[in-house]
């Protein structure tokens, strides 16, 4: 068998299903111009991917293989490869609308073999008794636990391969003509801007220490209790099964791993929903709430000028690092869709532009959850009070002050006190652009009219 192994969301050698089949192989990675053309030239994710692709190439070389790196439109690249007599292309699943359509087009050129890797369950594995998909998380979770078996922990071993003979030098650009470019990020039109993130080993060591307090403390903004593994899961620099095996080990040591496992199932649930209901990417599942398009409010949010400290701190964290604590994502998304009454799609695309761990399913479904418009959403009338949230989860305002140093000398209590912020001026920091109670009452009336 002569196979093309197409790495996408699985940038690793360990426990990788596509490396388990063996045969004569051409491992490839494609810098997809359809995706890259829309991104700013200093996008941190491109730097991260570039760095991991080079590491993947080195790891494959250590195993006697290599990685041919392309730059261009995947369909055009496969048109070129098709002429070279391959039997099939092997890749792991990618569920967003663009990926699904691209894969279908590639499958018209070469036999396309999917290997499941990215999530714990296959999308058709968990269904209701009547064969339809679950719409509510808790029954999905219960069924997931009931169906969870050793197969979901399987470790894929490295197959017997021979490397397809071709040049593995540089980056192969496929355009009107074929061209070999130097192996650096400038060749694909980007500037290096690597995000500062811990090594995977460091994260796993910290997770081991934090698992027992994860459930109780993960919502606190100034505590580093969550795993920061979302970017690794997004790009497959960790195998989901190896993370599950790690959890089993911890469970066998007596640690309660269920709260963390539950979050991984949330990730699966969102991918599952987007797979079964692809229109959710742009359409509400429920209600006709569209929000009100208001460029001024939108700019204030995106430039961290809302005057609500926890919201502005979250947006600054996002802009500076590409990360945002989960609780702050929830607070920001609620403020955006309720207090500011802006369309959730605008917030979704703002997060999509900056999140290092951007994942279409998790982001879209979380925004729809916050807006109250998705499948299994929070009730539309549940509106977070951002001041009570920050008082509870950032009592000493350490998180707020870290990201908004202008507020360093303001007493923490005042930063959770809306009436203080509305009535007193703070040097170099704006007053709140909305009054929470009024804005939420207005939003509720607006929603009720459209029920
Ligand atoms: C508005 C909004 C947008 C979001 N956008 C994304 C996104 O684009 N990409 C993304 O990976 N997550 C997204 N999330 C979910 C969550 O915020 C992140 O997964 C989490 O903050 C990542 O940090 P961590 O790895 O330290 O998480 P941990 O708490 O350590 O959780 C472990 C893993 O479980 C998964 N997970 C945890 N919480 C959730 C959740 N609520 N939904 C789905 N998966 C979860 C992630 O893969 C995470 O890495 C979003 C949440 C909200 C409210």
């Amino acid at each position: 068998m002569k196979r093309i192994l197409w790495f996408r969301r699985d940038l690793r050698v360990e426990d990788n299903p596509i490396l388990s089949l063996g045969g004569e192989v051409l491992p490839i990675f494609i810098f997809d111009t359809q995706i890259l053309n829309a991104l700013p030239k200093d996008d941190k994710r491109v730097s991260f991917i570039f760095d991991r692709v080079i590491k993947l190439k080195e790891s494959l070389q250590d195993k006697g293989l290599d990685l041919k790196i392309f730059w261009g439109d995947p369909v055009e690249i496969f048109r070129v490869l098709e002429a070279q007599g391959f039997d099939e292309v092997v890749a792991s699943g990618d569920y967003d609308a663009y990926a699904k359509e691209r894969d279908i087009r590639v499958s018209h050129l070469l036999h396309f073999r999917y290997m499941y890797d990215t999530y714990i369950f296959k999308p058709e594995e968990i269904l209701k008794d009547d064969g339809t998909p679950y719409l509510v998380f808790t029954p999905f979770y219960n069924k997931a636990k009931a169906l969870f078996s050793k197969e979901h922990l399987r470790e894929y071993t490295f197959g017997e391969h021979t490397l397809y003979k071709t040049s593995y030098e540089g980056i192969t650009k496929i355009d009107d003509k074929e061209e070999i470019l130097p192996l650096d990020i400038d060749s694909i039109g980007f500037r290096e801007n690597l995000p500062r993130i811990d090594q995977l080993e460091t994260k796993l060591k910290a997770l081991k220490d934090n698992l027992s307090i994860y459930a109780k403390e993960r919502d606190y903004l100034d505590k580093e209790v969550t795993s920061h593994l979302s970017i690794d899961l997004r790009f497959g620099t960790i195998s989901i099964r190896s993370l599950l095996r790690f959890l089993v080990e911890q469970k066998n040591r007596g640690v309660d791993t269920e709260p963390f496992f539950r979050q991984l199932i949330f990730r699966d649930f969102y991918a599952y929903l987007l797979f079964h209901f692809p229109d959710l990417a742009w359409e509400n599942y429920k209600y006709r709430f569209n929000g009100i398009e208001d460029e001024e409010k939108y700019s204030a949010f995106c430039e961290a000028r809302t005057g609500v400290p926890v919201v502005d701190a979250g947006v600054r964290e996002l802009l500076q690092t590409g990360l945002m604590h989960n609780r702050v994502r929830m607070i920001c998304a609620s403020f955006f869709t309720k207090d500011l009454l802006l369309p959730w799609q605008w917030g979704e695309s703002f997060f999509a532009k900056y999140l290092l761990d951007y994942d279409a399913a998790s982001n879209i479904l979380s925004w729809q959850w916050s807006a109250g418009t998705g499948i299994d959403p929070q009730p539309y009338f549940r509106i977070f009070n951002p001041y009570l949230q920050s008082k509870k989860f950032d009592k000493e305002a350490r998180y707020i002050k870290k990201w908004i140093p202008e507020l360093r000398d303001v007493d923490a209590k005042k930063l959770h006190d809306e009436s203080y912020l509305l009535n007193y001026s703070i040097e170099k920091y704006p007053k709140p652009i909305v009054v929470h109670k009024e804005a939420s009452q207005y939003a509720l009336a607006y929603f009720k009219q459209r029920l």
Side-chain angles (χ1 to χ4, degrees):
M1 247 317 179
K2 207 164 142 185
R3 301 185 162 107
I4 299 169
L5 307 183
W6 185 9
F7 289 85
R8 293 114 61 101
R9 294 188 59 166
D10 53 346
L11 302 181
R12 64 175 195 284
V13 163
E14 306 74 33
D15 190 15
N16 190 331
I18 69 171
L19 285 166
S20 67
L21 299 172
E24 186 180 355
V25 293
L26 170 67
I28 66 164
F29 181 84
I30 300 174
F31 282 102
D32 181 346
T33 42
Q34 303 283 338
I35 298 173
L36 295 185
N37 287 347
L39 300 176
K41 298 305 162 208
D42 60 351
D43 192 290
K44 291 192 179 83
R45 290 165 296 196
V46 178
S47 278
F48 177 82
I49 296 169
F50 199 89
D51 181 69
R52 292 310 191 265
V53 166
I54 301 298
K55 289 197 169 89
L56 173 65
K57 186 175 172 74
E58 289 164 0
S59 308
L60 286 166
Q61 285 169 340
D62 290 345
K63 296 269 192 188
L65 294 179
D66 209 328
L67 185 70
K68 190 167 174 80
I69 302 171
F70 288 97
W71 178 36
D73 175 347
V75 178
E76 293 310 315
I77 291 167
F78 279 101
R79 229 185 278 285
V80 172
L81 290 173
E82 189 233 340
Q84 297 173 25
F86 287 96
D87 298 301
E88 61 182 16
V89 51
V90 188
S92 58
D94 206 353
Y95 299 167
D96 69 48
Y98 167 71
K100 281 205 309 203
E101 201 213 304
R102 176 201 58 201
D103 290 355
I104 289 170
R105 292 175 65 204
V106 171
S107 73
H108 293 152
L109 296 167
L110 263 169
H111 178 254
F112 202 112
R113 178 165 176 173
Y114 267 116
M115 303 284 287
Y116 284 94
D117 177 62
T118 316
Y119 299 99
I120 304 171
F121 293 94
K122 296 175 187 159
E124 65 284 359
E125 213 173 332
I126 303 185
L127 295 172
K128 290 195 274 187
D129 293 344
D130 64 4
T132 60
Y134 281 96
L135 305 180
V136 178
F137 178 73
T138 304
F140 175 89
Y141 180 49
N142 291 336
K143 186 77 167 260
K145 282 196 292 185
L147 290 179
F148 190 75
S149 71
K150 283 208 168 104
E151 188 52 29
H152 299 105
L153 299 169
R154 174 175 171 190
E155 181 168 4
Y156 286 86
T157 46
F158 198 80
E160 291 277 322
H161 302 97
T162 53
L163 184 63
Y164 177 71
K165 283 198 180 48
T166 182
S167 164
Y168 289 86
E169 294 300 307
I171 298 174
T172 308
K173 179 180 176 191
I174 306 269
D175 211 339
D176 305 336
K177 58 180 172 48
E178 199 171 313
E179 205 182 328
I180 306 293
L181 304 171
L183 189 53
D184 56 50
I185 193 165
D186 301 359
S187 295
I188 59 164
F190 283 78
R191 277 194 300 283
E192 187 172 273
N193 186 16
L194 264 177
R196 273 199 273 150
I197 48 175
D198 286 335
Q199 295 293 320
L200 186 54
E201 297 67 36
T202 314
K203 291 184 194 179
L204 288 173
K205 192 176 169 301
L207 179 60
K208 200 170 174 177
D209 297 337
N210 289 332
L211 261 181
S212 58
I213 53 167
Y214 179 81
K216 219 168 130 216
E217 308 215 344
R218 74 186 190 102
D219 278 323
Y220 290 90
L221 311 188
D222 61 337
K223 295 191 180 161
E224 287 289 326
V225 169
T226 69
S227 68
H228 300 290
L229 285 173
S230 49
I231 184 168
D232 303 283
L233 288 165
R234 168 66 183 84
F235 295 109
T237 47
I238 188 170
S239 134
I240 181 72
R241 294 172 305 283
S242 77
L243 182 56
L244 292 170
R245 292 193 296 273
F246 167 87
L247 289 184
V248 169
E249 254 176 53
Q250 303 311 310
K251 191 173 176 187
N252 291 340
R253 289 176 52 229
V255 180
D256 177 13
T257 52
E258 175 132 4
F260 189 84
F261 178 69
R262 193 169 187 276
Q263 293 314 113
L264 295 180
I265 300 291
F266 252 116
R267 173 177 175 268
D268 255 62
F269 183 54
Y270 285 159
Y272 165 95
L273 289 180
L274 194 60
F275 178 86
H276 288 290
F277 304 95
D279 291 355
L280 286 174
W282 49 87
E283 259 176 27
N284 293 0
Y285 185 76
K286 269 189 190 156
Y287 307 131
R288 288 182 296 124
F289 313 152
N290 293 324
I292 296 173
E293 300 188 359
D294 183 324
E295 296 283 352
E296 242 175 74
K297 285 183 179 166
Y298 180 64
S299 301
F301 179 88
C302 298
E303 291 162 16
R305 290 188 285 104
T306 67
V308 181
V310 69
V311 171
D312 292 340
V315 171
R316 285 211 196 170
E317 181 186 14
L318 177 65
L319 297 178
Q320 287 175 37
T321 65
L323 302 170
M324 196 196 279
H325 191 285
N326 178 59
R327 171 66 41 182
V328 188
R329 292 187 205 201
M330 287 160 71
I331 299 170
C332 284
S334 173
F335 184 78
F336 189 97
T337 53
K338 309 282 173 62
D339 292 51
L340 300 184
L341 207 48
L342 290 165
W344 66 261
Q345 292 89 339
W346 287 21
E348 196 279 328
S349 53
F350 175 66
F351 271 30
K353 191 167 167 195
Y354 292 102
L355 278 177
L356 290 179
D357 65 13
Y358 172 64
D359 171 79
S362 290
N363 202 46
I364 290 165
L365 272 296
S366 298
W367 274 93
Q368 290 233 35
W369 180 87
S370 296
T373 55
I375 297 181
D376 197 15
Q378 69 170 338
Y380 71 90
F381 49 80
R382 187 162 166 233
I383 301 183
F384 280 36
N385 178 326
Y387 302 99
L388 293 182
Q389 290 283 319
S390 65
K391 189 174 172 188
K392 181 162 180 198
F393 296 113
D394 188 27
K395 193 163 182 241
E396 305 301 330
R398 286 198 196 100
Y399 175 84
I400 290 174
K401 292 180 183 190
K402 176 174 177 187
W403 297 108
I404 316 181
E406 301 92 292
L407 298 177
R408 205 173 23 217
D409 299 327
V410 182
D411 180 11
K413 280 198 190 104
K414 293 178 180 159
L415 298 175
H416 311 306
D417 179 352
E418 186 181 27
S419 72
Y420 178 87
L421 294 165
L422 285 167
N423 292 308
Y424 295 90
S425 297
I426 298 176
E427 209 186 325
K428 294 194 195 141
Y429 190 68
K431 287 194 172 179
I433 57 170
V434 289
V435 178
H436 173 66
K437 197 168 171 195
E438 285 170 15
S440 43
Q441 278 171 355
Y442 184 78
L444 276 180
Y446 175 88
F447 295 149
K448 275 189 190 139
Q449 264 177 15
R450 283 158 184 78
L451 281 183

